[in-house]
Amino acid sequence: MKTKTSKLQYFSLFTNLLYGKAIGITAGVVVRAVGADAWTSMLIAFLIGIIFIQLMAHLGSKFPELTMIDYSKLLLGKWVSRFFSILLVIFFAFAYATSANTLTLHIKQYLLPETPTIAIILLYAALVFYGTSLGIEVITRVSFIAFVLIILFNIITIFGTIQDFQAMNLQPIFDKGIIENLKAGIYSFGDLSFVILGLGIIYPILNKKNKAMSTTFWASIFATFIVITWPFIETATLGADVMKQFSVVCMQLIRGVQLTRYFPRSELIMINLFVWSIFVQSSLMLFCCIYTMKDIIKVKKEWHLSAPLTVLIALLTYLMVQDHNKFVEFLAYPWPQAAAILSIGYPSLLFIISLIRKKKIGTNSLTKQENVP
Amino acid sequence: MLRKYLHSISVILICCILLTGCWDARGLDELALVMAVGIDKSVDSDKFVVTVQIAKPQSQDKSNPSSDEPVWTASAEGKTLFEAIRNIAKFSSRRVMWAHNRIIVIGESMAKDDITPIIDFFTHNPELRMKTWVAVCNGKAREYVSTKTGMEAYPALSASELFNYYELSAQSVRTSMDILFRDFQSETVQPFVSALYLEPLLIKQNEGQKEKGENQVVLEGGAVFLRTKMLGFTTPEQTRGLGIVRRNISSAVLSVPTDEEEEEYVAVELNSIKVNMDSKMQGDLPSVIIDVSCSGQIVEQDFSTDLSMDAFKKQVEDKTAEILTGNIQDGIEAVQKEYKSDVLSIGRLIHINHRDLWYSKYKSNWEKIYPNIPITVNTTVKIEYSSTYQIPMNNED
Amino acid sequence: MPELISSNLKDNENRLYEKFAQKSDLIIRYFKIETLNNITAFIAFISCLSNGDKINSYILHPLLRKDFSIQQKATDSNRKAPDIIVQSGLLSPTVTLTTDLNEACNKLLAGDCVLFIEDCPEAVINSIGGWEQRAITDPISDVEIRGARDGFIESVKTNMVMIRRRIRDINLKFESYSIGTRTQTEVVVSYIEGIVDAKILEELKNRLSKIDTDSILESGYLEEFLEDAKFSIFPQILSIERPDNAAALLLEGRIIILTDNTPFALVVPSYFWDSIQAPGDYYTRFYIGSFVRIIRIFALLLSIFLPSLYVMLVSFHHEMIPTPLAMKMAAGREGIPFPAILEAVIMEIMFEVLREAGIRIPKPIGQAVSIVGALVIGESAVQAGIVSPIMVIVVSAAGICSFAVPGYYVSMSLRLLRFPVLFLTSIFGNFGFIVATMAIFMHLVSLRSFGVPYFSPYVPFRAGDVAYDLIIRAPWKIMSKKKRSKTNVT
């Protein structure tokens, strides 16, 4: 990839990739499994996820100018890697759909109840398509703004909910036992897989690769912190029993936020601050999808592939969210399980093979680097 | 090349969407803004009665100040709550909009029957604010919503402003929809809702003949619930005690008798009331200790004393603590022994502190165990200063 | 293909008359240089372009004087005559020799006087052009309270003088190009060697050489030819009218393109943020400079978004408005026959019409029209109950805000953007608003001006530049070090 981005933008990508879906919908899914322990369960899952993010960064640092698709060809051979590429296209398509639908739920349930879902989805898809066609550089630039906005969003939310904060709602920790918590951690992989597999493709855009591992590490730690704030506040403020009730938990929290008596409602402020982040998430997923697809089907002009693909994915998005409850159920089963298998299995496979074929690859990758598109 | 096509594609796409219209657009002038809603259940016909107070936008025309009422109050009946609410649309010329609703008044009969439909309606619909005040009234909610009360242009505003100053007398609690919903949903905490009274307080000067004044809405006392039903009201003093333990009241102004026989009172303003609850196992049953600590100042003193400041403060501290403890114990007595409703989240405390025992022993028959749990209250009051005075008021030379 | 000058004087005359129409303003005057073998010669000039006094004193007078002391006796031919005349005959400061008749014609058109000599295939070009030009006055589009009072004028030479006077540095370079096959407009690229980014300069020269047009009448023509994204709504090249601003930008490492016949100079590369920075910021105390910049950013945002925000609140998200304000808004909208969006569009268009009329109307009537306009739109429309009073406030506030942005053409672009934002908002409420905002933002960050990100230095984020000279105008002591290297980062 030719485009390069600075460390700061790379840093901000992590938070944005995790944030959008995790704070509301995943939190709700986890709460329905483990109650008030949602935040600990998510925290544990995220810490496990960081291991795989590091693994991905490690693989990336071995092939600094290659994307996951490129080096998987070196490691696994053409046909096996093509098989995985097809899986990844499907994964990224679904990832885009879940991410976009997170926004659809927010908009449809809280802001525009009477607007047809398809209109919202198409408008959003058009925006995302515009973003991806401008290139990953633009997305990373939006990502930086989004990063600033979600930090602001977190601060405002903390201030808005502090008066309703009840530590009692968070206790007792590990109410249903640690094992249950660990099991519920699988739900978080619906989000973590975005970062793990997305990182494989966006890693080469980082312009200075020295200390890339530690940047990745701190970025994921920071992202974890920013995201975990949410289930933490949500549980403390709403209580697990209320959280269970709603499909988009974060909006329910925001419904109760009253920023002084002059701003009786803050949904709109929140949506405005938050959309940027979810946009980064979904447009990166679409970007990765198109990128992977390009590897499978060769086309002369990029838009010949990306435009129909976007329309198809928008339709998938629509089909997925027609029934809101089915969609949220889908995010509890089978989506996170499938995502977890792919996002844990694929990097591990690549890693193991890279260890076995260490010597051979070393020389190969040097010669192949020239051919990178 | 890409960009060229991109533009045409997006233009066509956007046009397709846009030509179909604006679905959610609704002019502010097409809406009836509900300011207050009262919900009753008529006992005889078993129907829901919904009364809404709708604000009428005042005309801007200064030369012709409208003599109209600023509000329009309407009422409709229905077999279910939703039907009743929808029935308002039958005669309302504008679409009823709930977003600016300030206060939900639940009639006594309704509260005693079942509040589930109310909770559902006001949380299910995204238009409604979660910070809307909720109160249970004595009698019919309909009267409360249609009463002209307070100084504001819209009576509902006056009523809702009461909830901002409830801590002055600290004889009620403040319940908003989100708190009620949280308690309602929780297995281990029972709802405790503020209560309203109508009292003839306002004196009409023009028609002096009237014996009694106009009715005004008063925020006083609390309503104790057990799951979906209201069990009864608590007195203002009990409410104060319960409110403090529920961490709903964090400051208060109390009249403290220093000498009951001579009726000598000081007024104490308490700030930052802090509550700490803990539980211990005593044999088979857990016992609960409630520690209340607060600081305050003396703001009024309606008699002379010859005590020194320190001694006076000490005396006031003791008396205040005594009153607070009394209030709290009264409150606990009422909810624990009389209503048997766990509004103080004792069950949650036990759950947190003794998780294993909770699951093995208490959870299944908590309702039987709860009334027997011994609760002790310790109160410490620290009087920090006496407002502007350096020495107590005295008439010695 | 150069057309050689003939040795025959008469032939030259005929060819000149052929090129310029017979009855043109071309003037040819024959004379004999007695002191130099009595050779026949003529001078040609365009009457309206050349300065008669200068022709007299620089050319005719020295050549026709009897005491013209050319010592050297002409030998076998007149072939050396031009050299002799140039060396010791003519007084004009700039003299060149040419053998090309076309070049001579071009010079004639530029106001020069050309001397042709019998039996000599060379012509002597005297640069003595001088025509009437406007006096240097206040810049009209770029007004500052404090700062120099001179503005660029239509003469590129005078403009160069104004810059030179400010920067007395031998590294300040002017490179002249003539562009436009017919107009042959003089375009001067100026930069300070050592500060300027060589890559950008190279790119600019490359783009200038690729311009294929017959005319450049104003720098606006040039702007469109040079821009990276020609279909973008944002002007990626700043146009300025103040020489002090030009000097400051040159010192930042920018390139200034001066075009003949227009007082507007172009700045390459330009950034979005240039439009909220005015030269006056650097002349006033830095608190004030920083404060007005913050105000301008607010103004800029409000000028695009305020009408949409109002429409969004009043017809979609009523719950967001605090109740007392909602009551006021509802009262204002009571009885208005149009939906908010239509009301907004009508008012916006009326406002734009008023603005445009304000420019066109002759000054004496202008006053009357603005009063009538304000009355009709503001007072009467509200009185008649056609427009809500808050809408009038919103539209006029947004209009005023757009004038607070110093870059006039950026603020025009932003005003245009108001309509798509309004349109999307009226259909999707807040969602449409966000989509429009994001699309604008993404477009902005994807733009480049000569390879430099247009939204720089905010995106990509360079903390130093943002802190010192974006929203805050840092004190000179801090900034002077930083500022010099600003454009060298791409």
Side-chain angles (χ1 to χ4, degrees), chain C residues 56-236:
Chain C
N56 271 342
S57 54
Y58 290 167
I59 303 164
L60 290 177
H61 195 238
L63 289 180
L64 296 181
R65 248 166 43 191
K66 293 282 186 281
D67 59 338
F68 181 39
S69 54
I70 297 175
Q71 292 304 320
Q72 192 175 349
K73 286 295 162 208
T75 51
D76 42 350
S77 75
N78 290 336
R79 218 162 264 284
K80 279 189 175 171
D83 291 332
I84 299 166
I85 289 173
V86 168
Q87 276 166 23
S88 43
L90 294 171
L91 289 177
S92 22
T94 318
V95 176
T96 44
L97 291 176
T98 183
T99 54
D100 181 10
L101 191 67
N102 283 340
E103 194 194 336
C105 288
N106 283 342
K107 292 294 180 184
L108 278 175
L109 288 172
D112 292 354
C113 174
V114 185
L115 174 66
F116 289 86
I117 303 161
E118 179 78 68
D119 289 340
C120 174
E122 272 182 309
V124 184
I125 300 167
N126 300 273
S127 301
I128 47 144
W131 50 88
E132 289 305 312
Q133 62 185 41
R134 183 163 69 90
I136 297 172
T137 52
D138 263 16
I140 288 172
S141 71
D142 234 351
V143 187
E144 284 293 341
I145 301 295
R146 177 164 182 177
R149 289 271 176 265
D150 54 344
F152 283 139
I153 61 165
E154 284 77 3
S155 155
V156 71
K157 293 277 180 322
T158 319
N159 294 348
M160 281 158 72
V161 170
M162 284 192 253
I163 295 178
R164 268 266 190 247
R165 258 186 21 224
R166 285 181 166 82
I167 306 170
R168 296 180 189 167
D169 184 353
I170 45 169
N171 287 322
L172 173 64
K173 308 283 180 195
F174 290 101
E175 282 177 24
S176 181
Y177 298 83
S178 74
I179 294 171
T181 50
R182 279 193 197 288
T183 58
Q184 293 290 337
T185 313
E186 188 176 5
V187 171
V188 175
V189 173
S190 75
Y191 56 91
I192 298 179
E193 207 165 358
I195 307 180
V196 73
D197 187 332
K199 264 189 282 174
I200 296 175
L201 187 63
E202 198 56 39
E203 176 66 29
L204 173 67
K205 286 178 185 171
N206 188 24
R207 286 189 198 176
L208 278 174
S209 68
K210 277 186 189 153
I211 293 177
D212 179 24
T213 181
D214 63 338
S215 60
I216 298 287
L217 292 182
E218 215 274 343
S219 49
Y221 286 45
L222 212 54
E223 194 179 322
E224 273 192 32
F225 281 111
L226 294 177
E227 266 175 350
D228 295 49
K230 293 181 175 50
F231 294 103
S232 170
I233 199 163
F234 292 97
Q236 297 132 63

Side-chain angles (χ1 to χ4, degrees), chain A residues 109 112 114-116 129 164 166 168 171 175 237-238 241-242 245 252 255-256 258 261 265 303, chain B residues 2 6 23-24 26 123 125-131 161 181-182 185-186 348 351-352 355 359:
Chain A
Q109 293 189 355
L112 305 171
E114 281 166 40
T115 307
F129 178 67
D164 294 328
Q166 287 204 341
M168 213 183 208
Q171 293 165 313
D175 189 27
T237 310
L238 298 175
D241 300 307
V242 173
Q245 201 70 40
Q252 180 59 26
R255 258 175 93 188
Q258 190 168 4
R261 55 198 297 185
R265 296 289 279 265
W303 74 267
Chain B
L2 169 74
L6 189 80
W23 301 274
D24 279 285
R26 217 156 264 119
T123 53
N125 184 344
E127 198 177 280
L128 289 143
R129 290 190 318 139
M130 294 304 283
K131 281 276 186 269
E161 285 302 307
F181 188 38
R182 185 169 74 196
Q185 285 283 82
S186 170
R348 183 134 196 93
H351 180 184
I352 292 167
R355 188 170 77 94
Y359 280 119

Side-chain angles (χ1 to χ4, degrees), chain A residues 222-267:
Chain A
F222 188 80
T224 308
F225 171 73
I226 293 277
V227 173
I228 295 302
T229 317
W230 277 84
F232 186 75
I233 297 178
E234 280 161 356
T235 322
T237 310
L238 298 175
D241 300 307
V242 173
M243 280 171 82
K244 271 179 203 161
Q245 201 70 40
F246 295 93
S247 44
V248 188
V249 184
C250 58
M251 281 308 274
Q252 180 59 26
L253 176 75
I254 299 306
R255 258 175 93 188
V257 171
Q258 190 168 4
L259 302 165
T260 75
R261 55 198 297 185
Y262 303 102
F263 288 101
R265 296 289 279 265
S266 33
E267 279 104 320

Side-chain angles (χ1 to χ4, degrees), chain C residues 287-455:
Chain C
Y287 299 110
I288 302 164
S290 312
F291 175 69
V292 291
R293 279 190 185 175
I294 294 165
I295 294 289
R296 283 185 208 130
I297 290 177
F298 272 110
L300 187 144
L301 291 176
L302 286 182
S303 73
I304 319 174
F305 296 128
L306 194 61
S308 324
L309 273 174
Y310 176 72
V311 168
M312 176 173 102
L313 287 179
V314 93
S315 50
F316 284 89
H317 309 294
H318 323 96
E319 70 274 9
M320 274 300 297
I321 321 169
T323 311
L325 183 60
M327 290 301 164
K328 284 265 178 275
M329 283 183 170
R333 284 212 38 84
E334 203 69 17
I336 305 292
F338 307 117
I341 167 68
L342 198 59
E343 201 187 348
V345 170
I346 293 171
M347 289 298 290
E348 283 293 346
I349 289 175
M350 275 319 290
F351 183 86
E352 292 301 308
V353 168
L354 268 184
R355 185 194 54 77
E356 187 61 23
I359 300 174
R360 308 281 161 234
I361 288 171
K363 259 183 194 156
I365 328 173
Q367 201 89 32
V369 168
S370 62
I371 291 168
V372 170
L375 268 182
V376 167
I377 291 202
E379 199 64 29
S380 317
V382 173
Q383 283 281 321
I386 296 174
V387 179
S388 68
I390 298 183
M391 182 56 91
V392 175
I393 297 172
V394 164
V395 169
S396 46
I400 294 292
C401 280
S402 73
F403 288 115
V405 180
Y408 180 71
Y409 291 97
V410 172
S411 79
M412 280 298 279
S413 314
L414 295 178
R415 265 220 295 277
L416 268 183
L417 279 177
R418 200 187 280 174
F419 291 98
V421 178
L422 197 58
F423 188 54
L424 268 182
T425 306
S426 70
I427 288 156
F428 286 98
N430 184 46
F431 183 54
F433 180 78
I434 300 171
V435 168
T437 316
M438 274 182 150
I440 293 170
F441 181 79
M442 282 193 294
H443 176 67
L444 267 176
V445 296
S446 71
L447 277 181
R448 278 169 178 276
S449 173
F450 285 82
V452 186
Y454 186 53
F455 220 52

